[in-house]
Amino acid sequence: MNLTQKLIESHLVKGELTAGTPIVISIDQTLTQDSTGTMAYLQLEALGADKVKTKRSVAYIDHNMLQSGFENADDHAYIQSVALKHGVFVSKPGNGICHQVHLERFGAPGQTLVGSDSHTPTGGGIGMFALGAGGLDVALAMAKGTLNLTMPKVVEIRLTGKLRANATAKDVILEVLRRLTVKGGVGKVMEYTGDGVKTLSVPERATITNMGAELGATTSVFPSDERTEQFLKAQGRAEVFVPLSADADAKYDESITVDLSSIVPLAAAPHMPDNIAEIKELVGKKIDQVCIGSCTDSSLLTMLKVAAALKGKKVHPDVSLTVSPGSRQVLTMMSELGALKDILDSGARVLECACGPCIGMGQSPKTDAVSLRTFNRNFYARSGTASANVYLVSPLTAAYSAVAGVFTVPPDDGLDGITLPEIYDVNDNLILDPADFKDVTVVRGPNIKPFPVGEKPDGEIRKTVTVKTGDNITTDDIMPSNAKLLPFRSNVPYLSNFCLSTVDAEFAERTRRAGGGIIIGGENYGQGSSREHAALAPLSLGIRAVIAKSFARMHRDNLINSGIFPFTFKTPDGYDKIDAGDELEFDPIAAVENGGCAVKNITRGCDIQVTLELNDRQKKILLSGGTINALKDGVID
Ligand code: MIC
Ligand code: SF4
């Protein structure tokens, strides 16, 4: 067996290891963060759950950190109280980004983890089966200790050779994105094998599995070996180590080889993580901002490399350099090892240990800026400045370019000899253990509004197409998130005013006026984050169906959970037979029962065949008008 099959088999509750079929797995751990967490815990409460059924669940506060009004602080207070009440650990603001902290303090090889954040696969860096999901699915995992999913295909990514001095793990995943694209991983797990694996440390592996999310992959996973053991020992957690790897004769659905020694410094050019260019093609291009950090590249190793590259140098006068360490542990160790001084001396602005600029929580660049970021997403307008051009690069490219003021290829020699400490500084006083809190009262500020619940289908649905989009629409398009909107993550009615505003500023208003509607999408509709707000906001506007060429996994699940029909065109010409403004009609019950239907285009007088591939559970959910209704009706458990 391959490692993915072993991890799934050891947690299989229902189903079999046949790709494409529905399975249920037991969940050992969950994580939530604050921008999806409020919704997840409101849903946990709606499920009537008492204490969580997992071995370890953790609520992180790391995204909505700017407190420029009462809203975010209200959300933090709600999350802290509701989590402790239900037996969930809390990682307080300042402790760091969920994925980095989870890897350091809680992750365990061989265990399953589901998180209400798309970059939860970071845990695959230590051999976890770790995946992102919408808040409701995470709430269900907490309440029941299980997760429903589709058995993925397994792709082997065989690593050979060793990285050159000027290439990093970020360049490896950018190379994989160049080859496979942002939809190349849908329905698949990326499993790393080969001799090259042992040349990569845990933080490097975690950068690669983290950004596997940008492939649309279900998750990514590395074996658990001596380097994993070394990392866990350094964290004072050697007892959770177990060795794990694929069998020597393991079979894979697909296999590709990446020679690490041939990897060169790369960038994902605006506005998509698979729009790959070589840094050497960009050399000399002027830059305005450099941001180092985010859950994909903010480990101590990253920071030590950045410090070594900046040591004794000065950031270019036209460049603003920000550095956000991934966790308080990283920041403390940077300080102990002198790296912080080298970074500060260079003129960098050191930000708090949080997502920060990655989610547009501050540091929006100036108009038309060129911004280099070590992050994982450069979707249009995500930085908070729509006219900015964001390039995703390695920390080495970022640091050398910040000094030069232009795109710069990092030198191919030097910086050798950076080693990770044998023991990390461990201080968990920003982590609250629910066992220490009795009789907790849940604190609910005025920012917390009830979430919308779907409508049970009853008879034909006749609605107008209120928007038609192109390919690769992201959840950042569907539900934009920045410092102004993130404080309203627990107020879906307000958020829905901004739904799809990057595509069409009138969409929300038009849909409301029309009494709801239908969305037409292209390929890979809903790629990117796990945010179920990208389904809840359309739901609150009255959207009943999305008809697309194809969907991203998490968004499709979130639509079904909300009772919105995710149809795909049966033939490519279907997309051309519908325009914005057309009136469509379909029979929802027949569509569920028959795996699709003919959608009537009343305006154009033609039929469009659509498919609706659902497992039995999903059928019951859509027929009930969403998961919450289906649970209430007792048709699913
Ligand atoms: C992101 O990187 O887009 C986020 C913000 O972390 C999201 C979660 C969210 O929308 O709150 C994700 O990746 O799932
Ligand atoms: Fe936070 Fe950015 Fe990572 Fe999302 S991708 S969890 S916003 S650091």
Side-chain angles (χ1 to χ4, degrees):
M1 283 202 279
N2 56 50
L3 176 53
T4 306
Q5 290 168 331
K6 290 186 189 184
L7 290 169
I8 294 177
E9 192 186 54
S10 60
H11 290 82
L12 201 61
V13 175
K14 242 190 228 169
E16 52 186 57
L17 303 184
T18 309
T21 60
I23 55 170
V24 181
I25 57 167
S26 61
I27 293 297
D28 300 312
Q29 303 191 349
T30 64
L31 70 79
T32 57
Q33 39 88 335
D34 48 335
S35 60
T36 53
T38 44
M39 225 23 94
Y41 293 107
L42 284 169
Q43 286 158 335
L44 185 70
E45 289 186 297
L47 296 174
D50 183 17
K51 297 282 179 210
V52 295
K53 297 267 171 33
T54 46
K55 289 187 187 142
R56 178 59 49 93
S57 286
V58 190
Y60 291 91
I61 304 205
D62 55 355
H63 281 62
N64 293 351
M65 301 290 277
L66 285 186
Q67 292 170 222
S68 55
F70 63 89
E71 293 89 354
N72 286 345
D74 271 13
D75 285 3
H76 299 172
Y78 169 68
I79 289 173
Q80 177 165 323
S81 55
V82 75
L84 292 174
K85 189 180 160 92
H86 288 88
V88 175
F89 283 68
V90 175
S91 172
K92 290 185 54 107
N95 203 38
I97 307 175
C98 54
H99 308 303
Q100 176 67 27
V101 178
H102 206 84
L103 198 68
E104 291 169 358
R105 305 306 309 140
F106 296 112
Q111 295 203 9
T112 50
L113 166 68
V114 60
S116 63
D117 191 281
S118 62
H119 291 105
T120 306
T122 312
I126 52 169
M128 297 190 87
F129 189 71
L131 54 170
L136 179 53
D137 286 329
V138 178
L140 281 166
M142 287 191 269
K144 299 179 186 303
T146 56
L147 178 77
N148 290 269
L149 78 154
T150 303
M151 180 66 199
K153 287 187 175 167
V154 187
V155 180
E156 176 185 36
I157 304 194
R158 174 168 285 276
L159 301 178
T160 61
K162 184 176 184 303
L163 284 174
R164 300 168 72 97
N166 67 353
T168 76
K170 173 58 68 49
D171 299 303
V172 176
I173 188 64
L174 289 175
E175 172 62 27
V176 177
L177 274 154
R178 162 150 79 176
R179 295 205 210 166
L180 301 183
T181 80
V182 288
K183 56 185 167 75
V186 178
K188 301 171 186 172
V189 171
M190 305 290 146
E191 182 171 319
Y192 290 85
T193 68
D195 279 354
V197 165
K198 63 176 183 301
T199 70
L200 298 173
S201 62
V202 163
E204 290 170 299
R205 297 174 187 184
T207 292
I208 294 170
T209 57
N210 171 292
M211 210 170 159
E214 274 53 67
L215 296 161
T218 303
T219 188
S220 303
V221 66
F222 271 84
S224 169
D225 58 11
E226 8 3 298
R227 306 231 33 192
T228 320
E229 187 174 17
Q230 208 180 349
F231 174 82
L232 291 167
K233 251 192 203 150
Q235 291 289 347
R237 302 199 296 119
E239 73 285 356
V240 302
F241 173 73
V242 281
L244 294 165
S245 60
D247 292 332
D249 58 352
K251 303 247 177 332
Y252 293 90
D253 295 294
E254 292 163 40
S255 183
I256 63 168
T257 300
V258 175
D259 174 8
L260 295 175
S261 58
S262 70
I263 300 283
V264 295
L266 298 173
H271 297 284
M272 219 28 91
D274 63 356
N275 188 16
I276 306 298
E278 294 194 10
I279 300 295
K280 72 169 193 249
E281 301 160 19
L282 298 163
V283 163
K285 185 179 169 64
K286 202 164 161 24
I287 65 174
D288 304 287
Q289 185 192 48
V290 176
C291 299
I292 294 172
S294 96
C295 59
T296 193
D297 235 328
S298 59
S299 67
L300 181 62
L301 180 67
T302 292
M303 296 300 162
L304 294 180
K305 286 189 179 177
V306 167
L310 293 176
K311 193 177 171 74
K313 301 188 188 123
K314 206 172 132 213
V315 173
H316 190 277
D318 295 340
V319 174
S320 166
L321 168 65
T322 72
V323 177
S324 330
S327 68
R328 186 177 59 155
Q329 182 188 70
V330 170
L331 179 56
T332 308
M333 298 294 292
M334 285 162 71
S335 151
E336 279 174 14
L337 299 170
L340 184 60
K341 178 162 167 45
D342 293 334
I343 291 175
L344 286 170
D345 283 353
S346 73
R349 300 164 67 178
V350 176
L351 308 181
E352 73 179 318
C353 307
C355 300
C358 177
I359 186 58
M361 261 289 163
Q363 306 304 324
S364 298
K366 70 179 188 195
T367 305
D368 298 336
V370 172
S371 177
L372 270 60
R373 298 173 165 218
T374 67
F375 306 167
N376 43 31
R377 290 190 171 140
N378 59 345
F379 299 146
Y380 173 71
R382 181 175 160 101
S383 68
T385 305
S387 70
N389 285 306
V390 175
Y391 291 78
L392 306 175
V393 298
S394 80
L396 286 181
T397 301
Y400 283 103
S401 303
V403 170
V406 291
F407 274 91
T408 302
V409 178
D412 203 6
D413 50 12
L415 292 200
D416 269 353
I418 293 179
T419 49
L420 286 168
E422 277 178 23
I423 301 289
Y424 287 90
D425 182 279
V426 173
N427 177 353
D428 286 337
N429 66 5
L430 279 175
I431 294 177
L432 308 181
D433 182 340
D436 299 334
F437 295 82
K438 302 269 172 292
D439 302 324
V440 184
T441 306
V442 177
V443 183
R444 249 174 268 270
N447 194 41
I448 318 271
K449 299 274 184 284
F451 57 90
V453 176
E455 210 178 303
K456 199 175 178 131
D458 177 21
E460 305 271 311
I461 294 181
R462 187 170 178 157
K463 295 275 169 205
T464 305
V465 173
T466 46
V467 73
K468 180 174 178 180
T469 77
D471 293 344
N472 289 323
I473 287 296
T474 72
T475 50
D476 281 81
D477 293 314
I478 306 170
M479 195 56 263
S481 290
N482 53 41
K484 291 190 191 97
L485 290 182
L486 276 165
F488 298 99
R489 279 295 183 93
S490 9
N491 184 347
V492 174
Y494 177 76
L495 273 189
S496 63
N497 295 327
F498 303 88
C499 186
L500 275 165
S501 56
T502 62
V503 176
D504 177 352
E506 309 299 319
F507 166 74
E509 182 48 31
R510 185 184 311 123
T511 306
R512 245 194 218 112
R513 251 188 307 160
I518 293 174
I519 295 172
I520 304 299
E523 295 284 4
N524 202 21
Y525 182 84
Q527 68 155 326
S529 84
S530 65
R531 69 185 69 143
E532 64 197 327
H533 300 78
L536 294 175
L539 176 66
S540 120
L541 294 172
I543 291 293
R544 300 299 301 273
V546 181
I547 314 177
K549 290 184 184 167
S550 66
F551 287 91
R553 170 186 68 91
M554 286 180 284
H555 184 59
R556 185 174 189 273
D557 288 347
N558 289 335
L559 288 173
I560 294 172
N561 280 341
S562 305
I564 298 177
F565 287 77
F567 293 121
T568 43
F569 292 106
K570 199 163 188 181
T571 54
D573 63 339
Y575 179 83
D576 304 319
K577 289 188 183 160
I578 306 180
D579 264 330
D582 288 357
E583 205 176 346
L584 306 183
E585 188 177 76
F586 67 92
D587 178 346
I589 296 165
V592 169
E593 279 163 4
N594 304 328
C597 64
V599 171
K600 286 196 193 82
N601 187 333
I602 313 236
T603 312
R604 292 214 205 175
C606 62
D607 281 358
I608 298 105
Q609 296 296 329
V610 298
T611 53
L612 185 62
E613 273 180 39
L614 302 169
N615 61 41
D616 283 347
R617 186 170 186 273
Q618 292 169 327
K619 284 183 180 170
K620 290 177 187 156
I621 292 174
L622 276 182
L623 290 178
S624 309
T627 301
I628 293 279
N629 290 336
L631 286 163
K632 263 199 208 127
D633 295 351
V635 296
I636 58 164
D637 51 22

